[in-house]
Amino acid sequence: MCIARPATGRYPCDDNRDEVRVAMPISTEHRGEFEFRSLTPGDIDTVRRLCKEWFPVEYPDSWFRDICTNSRFFTRVACYQATIIAFIVAEVKIYALLTKEERSMLAASFPRRTQMAYILSLGVSAEYRRRGLASQLLGLLLSELRTAEHADCRAVYLHVLTSNSPALRFYERHKFRLHTFLPYFYKIDGKYRDGFLYVYYINGGHPSYGALDYVVYAFSLFYEFSPCAVARAAVRLLRRAVKFVLPQGRRTTETIACLS
């Protein structure tokens, strides 16, 4: 299971406005038979080799150097007997510097100092998959983003190929939501491939509210101030309907658009 940045366009490491990026901590910990630590300059060649094995897109050499040396990236690798078998790379960005498409994931009411975390890559060696390593790496990132230092980080987002079914199931299982369909987003082996943009809201982050959201909110207020059992039942039904209809309905729409 993996996520990769497209081979075309600008990479975060090419941005010369590094002073506005958010530095991430470096740490090491053990969980059972695996060791989890940050990337180091000595990992550059290993990470380059693994990316070629795991990801269908190509990264510039500067990208490997940056993620292994620049503290603005959150990196965690899982090691078994001192060998890297999985890693995650993410970057916390300032809302004001995001593209219009990226900013659309959050309600416009959030201030410009708001942060969003972008997952650039997440991969696991084939022989170690289905052992929970990807979930542990994602959990380490989310735990870091829930600390007081990152209280202004309101969302985590990523891009993924529409054809990468294992990755889609993984992120949906971890409560990521489909935000939009991106036609021709990737260029792989000279051919353009479609992508999805997924988002996970954190620390009180949320998208712009629609009419149905306000209806649910009104019923919630009525529920809080009324002992009426009928009102309570109505709220429960509305919440179930929103949870079932909106995400799946939107996913269906986007998928149809992708296939048409």
Side-chain angles (χ1 to χ4, degrees), residues 11 25 35 82 93 97-98 102-103 105 122 128-129 153 163 183 187 190 205 226 252 260:
Y11 289 81
E35 176 190 36
K93 300 182 178 183
L97 294 181
L98 298 176
E102 292 170 329
R103 291 197 300 269
M105 290 182 284
L122 171 57
Y128 291 96
R129 292 172 188 168
C153 185
S163 58
K187 188 176 183 180
S226 172
T252 301
S260 62

Side-chain angles (χ1 to χ4, degrees), residues 38-247:
S38 302
L39 284 171
T40 68
D43 297 322
I44 293 177
D45 290 339
T46 299
V47 172
R48 182 186 292 111
R49 174 179 57 80
L50 291 175
C51 282
K52 289 181 179 180
E53 293 177 5
W54 297 347
F55 305 137
V57 300
E58 296 181 2
Y59 294 85
D61 287 339
S62 60
W63 187 81
F64 299 107
R65 183 177 62 253
D66 275 11
I67 65 172
C68 292
T69 61
N70 196 320
S71 64
R72 79 168 186 259
F73 293 101
F74 173 92
T75 63
R76 288 292 183 275
V77 299
C79 297
Y80 179 70
Q81 297 181 350
T83 299
I84 295 177
I85 57 174
F87 66 77
I88 186 171
V89 180
E91 180 183 15
V92 176
K93 300 182 178 183
I94 305 299
Y95 179 84
L97 294 181
L98 298 176
T99 65
K100 181 179 180 181
E101 175 186 275
E102 292 170 329
R103 291 197 300 269
S104 71
M105 290 182 284
L106 280 178
S109 57
F110 286 100
R112 291 175 63 83
R113 69 175 183 275
T114 299
Q115 302 168 0
M116 296 178 68
Y118 177 54
I119 298 178
L120 291 92
S121 297
L122 171 57
V124 180
S125 293
E127 60 269 34
Y128 291 96
R129 292 172 188 168
R130 298 185 180 278
R131 299 179 65 174
L133 286 172
S135 295
Q136 290 188 66
L137 290 169
L138 179 60
L140 289 172
L141 171 63
L142 296 179
S143 294
E144 174 62 30
L145 296 175
R146 290 189 175 102
T147 61
E149 181 181 359
H150 297 290
D152 288 332
C153 185
R154 306 294 184 175
V156 185
Y157 69 104
L158 57 95
H159 296 101
V160 59
L161 281 163
T162 58
S163 58
N164 193 345
S165 297
L168 296 176
R169 289 193 297 268
F170 172 82
Y171 286 110
E172 289 175 356
R173 188 167 68 249
H174 287 279
K175 309 303 181 183
F176 279 74
R177 306 181 186 179
L178 174 64
H179 178 69
T180 191
F181 166 67
L182 303 169
Y184 310 115
F185 183 75
Y186 294 91
K187 188 176 183 180
I188 301 174
D189 296 330
K191 298 181 180 180
Y192 287 98
R193 305 278 296 277
D194 299 331
F196 285 134
L197 176 60
Y198 271 76
V199 60
Y200 176 89
Y201 294 102
I202 194 171
N203 299 331
H206 60 81
S208 297
Y209 290 132
L212 186 56
D213 296 301
Y214 287 106
V215 172
V216 175
Y217 178 66
F219 268 90
S220 298
L221 289 179
F222 181 63
Y223 167 81
E224 290 178 5
F225 294 103
S226 172
C228 179
V230 175
R232 294 178 183 176
V235 170
R236 288 195 296 270
L237 289 173
L238 269 176
R239 286 175 175 168
R240 290 174 183 173
V242 170
K243 182 178 180 181
F244 178 78
V245 174
L246 288 186

